[in-house]
Amino acid sequence: MKQITEGKVYKSIEKYVGNEKKLFIIYPYGNRGKMVEQILRETYNIQNCVLADNQPTKENILSVNQLSDLQGDYVLLLCSDNPRIYQEIRVNLKDKFYGEICDLAEVDDDEVVYEPFYFKNYKMQIEEVNSEQIKQVFARTKRAWEKLGKEEPYFSVITHDEMKTENLTEEVISRFFQSGNLKTIEIISSLKRNGVSNLERLSVLELGCGCGRITKSLARNFGHVDAVDISEGNLRIAREHIKDTNVDFFLMKEVEDYLKLPQADIIYSFIVLQHNCPPVIEYILNVMMNKVNPNGILMFQVPTYYWGYTFCYEEYMSQPEGMEMHCFPQNRIFELAYENQCIPLEVYPYLCTGRQDHSMMFIFRKK
């Protein structure tokens, strides 16, 4: 089974576009369905698609049982590539719809060329939320990471099987913390090539310290480190491992706690922001751009694009809690930087998510 991607959608539906008699049904209307709808609307100016789903959440979405009542020359764009319900959806559909079906998950994509930012690129749909909803999504993420911190603290940082609790040995734990030395070397190199010196006099705010993998080596190279995390279990391990007197630990209990963090000369975050949904990422970045001292450096990694990514508050809150992967649009990062007087120094790909997204490392200097 092949995953539905943007390229497959274009290749599949172009043979229908231009035929005025053809009408489109998008089913099911989940994340993939929204991607297909946007492509039809923005690229082909097809505005009046029929939306259908097994569990309609809005009045303009039909139930799958209503499809047999439709009159007209409809093409159903089948947008499900979820392996759990793949066969079930296709079997059930045979009794509900008798028109033409274009199965987007089964398109041969051998001829499709995937370019990172080619002109038909799908724009991610990210719903705006209010301040109360930001609190709710943060609380949801915190619950998930409290659970991970208790059950799989090391695996929650490095998702390799050897890091699972059942496989942990002293040697594995030792390698875990040694890997933090390499990240610190990388941080120092980035700072030095951007003219930062006298590191022993500078303070660092490490956003998402986890079990302290990088924290200890940061403490050896910088004047002071404030280590921040939302998982009490992970932070407990960090405290046990790190006895340096120039390290302070902060547990984020609610999203407003970011406002209480101290100012810092260097703010650093790696494989952390991606586990928060876009409104929380924006909230954190906005706060951090205000927490970095004048002439200080903000250095963080975050995925900025993924085919088919959407964020809808109601849909998100209804999903099972656990480790998640999110994106945050690159253009919005630059807007935040401009609003907060942060000058971009470097932006480069940083592949670390284990999937084909556009994960980037950003380095800004505060005016």
Side-chain angles (χ1 to χ4, degrees):
M1 184 200 319
K2 298 176 181 178
Q3 187 183 50
I4 297 173
T5 64
E6 191 180 38
K8 291 181 183 179
V9 175
Y10 287 112
K11 186 176 179 181
S12 300
I13 67 178
E14 279 185 346
K15 63 181 178 181
Y16 300 112
V17 174
N19 187 332
E20 295 181 359
K21 296 181 180 180
K22 295 293 184 183
L23 303 170
F24 290 100
I25 302 169
I26 297 176
Y27 167 81
Y29 190 60
N31 288 343
R32 304 294 182 188
K34 292 174 184 176
M35 176 180 73
V36 173
E37 180 190 27
Q38 186 160 349
I39 289 173
L40 289 172
R41 186 175 63 248
E42 295 186 355
T43 303
Y44 300 110
N45 197 31
I46 297 173
Q47 308 293 331
N48 299 314
C49 295
V50 174
L51 309 179
D53 202 89
N54 294 330
Q55 298 178 328
T57 56
K58 296 181 180 179
E59 292 183 0
N60 66 327
I61 302 178
L62 300 181
S63 72
V64 67
N65 293 323
Q66 294 175 288
L67 294 179
S68 60
D69 299 329
L70 293 175
Q71 301 294 320
D73 191 7
Y74 282 97
V75 176
L76 187 146
L77 301 175
L78 186 51
C79 303
S80 169
D81 56 12
N82 185 333
R84 291 189 299 105
I85 57 174
Y86 185 85
Q87 294 296 342
E88 179 184 348
I89 275 189
R90 283 152 179 78
V91 171
N92 291 342
L93 196 57
K94 291 179 180 178
D95 300 327
K96 314 292 184 187
F97 180 72
Y98 305 103
E100 186 172 359
I101 297 176
C102 177
D103 195 335
L104 298 179
E106 295 180 346
V107 175
D108 184 4
D109 62 353
D110 291 341
E111 299 176 7
V112 177
V113 177
Y114 296 100
E115 298 291 343
F117 291 100
Y118 72 118
F119 74 102
K120 287 183 177 179
N121 218 0
Y122 161 70
K123 181 181 178 182
M124 295 186 298
Q125 293 183 342
I126 297 177
E127 182 180 82
E128 293 185 5
V129 299
N130 58 40
S131 57
E132 183 58 35
Q133 289 172 325
I134 289 178
K135 294 179 183 179
Q136 295 300 320
V137 293
F138 174 83
R140 183 184 188 278
T141 302
K142 180 172 175 60
R143 287 194 300 270
W145 282 86
E146 288 288 7
K147 186 174 186 293
L148 284 166
K150 290 178 181 177
E151 298 176 357
E152 294 291 351
Y154 295 95
F155 182 78
S156 72
V157 178
I158 300 179
T159 53
H160 296 168
D161 284 344
E162 67 174 1
M163 295 296 168
K164 291 184 176 180
T165 301
E166 61 188 23
N167 299 326
L168 286 175
T169 63
E170 290 185 7
E171 181 185 354
V172 169
I173 294 174
S174 176
R175 287 204 307 271
F176 173 86
F177 285 106
Q178 287 174 6
S179 68
N181 297 332
L182 296 176
K183 299 306 300 179
T184 298
I185 291 172
E186 180 183 302
I187 295 167
I188 292 173
S189 298
S190 299
L191 294 174
K192 287 187 174 181
R193 70 172 172 261
N194 283 288
V196 179
S197 57
N198 298 321
L199 304 185
E200 69 280 359
R201 298 180 183 178
L202 302 181
S203 60
V204 178
L205 194 158
E206 184 189 6
L207 186 64
C209 68
C211 299
R213 181 173 69 109
I214 305 173
T215 314
K216 190 172 182 65
S217 56
L218 287 175
R220 291 197 300 264
N221 289 277
F222 292 86
H224 186 83
V225 178
D226 292 309
V228 179
D229 208 88
I230 66 172
S231 170
E232 188 173 2
N234 284 5
L235 210 56
R236 185 182 303 113
I237 293 175
R239 285 193 176 102
E240 292 171 355
H241 178 71
I242 300 166
K243 302 300 181 182
D244 301 70
T245 57
N246 64 334
V247 179
D248 289 324
F249 295 95
F250 294 86
L251 176 64
M252 298 293 99
K253 296 181 179 179
E254 52 190 26
V255 73
E256 294 93 340
D257 286 345
Y258 287 102
L259 296 169
K260 302 173 186 177
L261 293 173
Q263 298 288 127
D265 300 311
I266 311 293
I267 297 180
Y268 174 76
S269 179
F270 173 65
I271 55 172
V272 174
L273 292 171
Q274 64 197 32
H275 297 306
N276 294 272
C277 64
V280 175
I281 295 176
E282 176 160 346
Y283 181 94
I284 294 173
L285 285 179
N286 194 53
V287 172
M288 293 304 106
M289 288 178 179
N290 282 279
K291 289 293 180 182
V292 64
N293 288 329
N295 208 38
I297 298 292
L298 181 64
M299 184 176 181
F300 60 90
Q301 167 270 329
V302 66
T304 59
Y305 184 81
Y306 185 63
W307 274 307
Y309 178 82
T310 64
F311 173 79
C312 171
Y313 174 78
E314 291 183 1
E315 183 178 330
Y316 172 73
M317 294 298 288
S318 67
Q319 295 173 357
E321 296 180 1
M323 185 184 293
E324 305 164 351
M325 291 290 288
H326 296 276
C327 297
F328 191 72
Q330 189 169 135
N331 63 333
R332 183 57 185 148
I333 292 174
F334 288 123
E335 288 173 354
L336 289 172
Y338 180 80
E339 293 166 7
N340 289 287
Q341 296 188 308
C342 292
I343 302 169
L345 300 179
E346 296 183 12
V347 181
Y348 53 88
Y350 203 103
L351 305 180
C352 59
T353 63
R355 65 180 190 177
Q356 292 182 336
D357 57 19
H358 300 290
S359 177
M360 311 293 284
M361 181 67 76
F362 294 84
I363 304 179
F364 292 94
R365 173 178 281 120
K366 180 79 171 187
K367 278 190 176 181

